[in-house]
Amino acid sequence: MASLSSAGIGSGLSVESIISSLMSIEKQPVTKLQSQQTGFQSKISALGTLKSGLSTLQTAAKALTPAIGQSATAAFSAYKANLADSTIGTVTAGNTAVAGTYSVEVTALATNQRLALGKTYAAGDPVLDFGSDSTRTLTVTKNGTPVDITLESGQNTLAGVRDAINKAEAGVSATIVTDTGGKQNLLLTATTGGTAAAVSLSGTATFIDPGAPGSPIAASSAFTQTQAATDAAVKIQGVSIATKGNTITDAVDGITLQLTKTGSTSLTVTRDNSELKTKVESFISAYNALNSSVKSLGAYNASTKTGAVLNGDASLRTIQSQVRGAVTNTPASLNTNAVKTLADMGVSFQTDGTLKLDATKFDKAVSSNFTAVATALGAYGDAMKTTTTNLLGTGGVIASRTDGLNSSIKNLDKRIEALNTRLTMIEKTYRAQFTALDTTMTSMSTTSSYLTQQLSILSNMASN
């Protein structure tokens, strides 16, 4: 009997179709486990969305939390300042400023020290006497701090010296001027005005005297001061103040003045609450975004009777409860504070569970008692920072739930692998059984045809 190359060819049975249908039934447990895995992956993704929302809220809460050892008033105080005549200078205010109006009178601006090389040279002429050395040093000292500038013998021109000085950024800038006779000189200018910016020169560098080449001039005496450094002359509220250059940083608390012109004007300093309000608005935005994610991920559709991916999940309820508690529970540190709740400063809950800022009420609260508002915001900021940090920590609900889901996925992987191994054996058994059946049926069909043929011959013989 000829062997069959494919099950079903001899018998006419659709063996492959039968086996495929049987295996589809056998694979149902694997499909169910894979569906469970997909569900777990969806939960992990949803937890990632919550983690992102908590991280954003944590950042916003940190912005409302004073540093350790810092008072809330100091942390959130901000001021703005302006000069009535802005051409006299520019002004900035720090958080230690004090609100008020001050008269400012500038009778003189600071001047920059200027130095000129005592000798002139033709362009390209050597200007330094290196002797047997390949380098010499020009030392620029400012405020007692020396900076050594290395001068190379291979660049022994005024241009080479100029470039070396400018590259060093030692407190002076160098430039070359050329007179009507084509001779060049080197000018040095202090980069900032004022006596504190004045420099002195020294070092091993010696300049060639064109009139007496054998008698080089030491760096300390090679330059002549053409303009002395002077400080600005300023009165604030009629009081003469000490200045160092045209930048005044310690005359009025928290105020920095950069003078540009002489004259008289007024300086106004006011509290600036815009930055604090922006921080509160960022906090509200982050809270509302997280609240929206919680509602969406835990929703239930009554019409379709289907729940969202985290509907009924304990971790979602924990996050929702703890985050809401951080803004509704009054911190113990506020028991004696004039402002105790977020609502007291214009931050209240809406019917949909979101927070909203009443800007008018906030501005009024800040204006009437800034310290109390700052203290309250600092307390709520710290409470939310602690809450979000705990939720996001390695032992927090997000990490714990994610770890549990990942563990479940790994366990399902093992079960699926075991089932697939079993399915391979089952398919092999089915195939062997149906191949045997196919062979038997083919054999029976051949025998049947032979018998039918023989009976037909006998019947013909009997008729004859």
Side-chain angles (χ1 to χ4, degrees), residues 56-69:
T56 301
L57 182 57
Q58 181 188 50
T59 299
K62 286 180 178 179
L64 287 175
T65 306
I68 296 175

Side-chain angles (χ1 to χ4, degrees), residues 12-78:
L13 290 173
S14 182
V15 175
E16 292 297 332
S17 176
I18 294 171
I19 293 175
S20 178
S21 297
L22 289 171
M23 290 308 299
S24 294
I25 297 172
E26 295 287 355
K27 289 178 180 178
Q28 286 181 359
V30 172
T31 302
K32 184 177 180 181
L33 293 180
Q34 289 173 333
S35 179
Q36 289 180 22
Q37 281 188 319
T38 301
F40 290 155
Q41 290 288 5
S42 296
K43 288 180 182 292
I44 290 174
S45 178
L47 289 170
T49 299
L50 292 176
K51 182 177 181 180
S52 177
L54 283 168
S55 295
T56 301
L57 182 57
Q58 181 188 50
T59 299
K62 286 180 178 179
L64 287 175
T65 306
I68 296 175
Q70 183 185 35
S71 70
T73 302
F76 303 138
S77 288

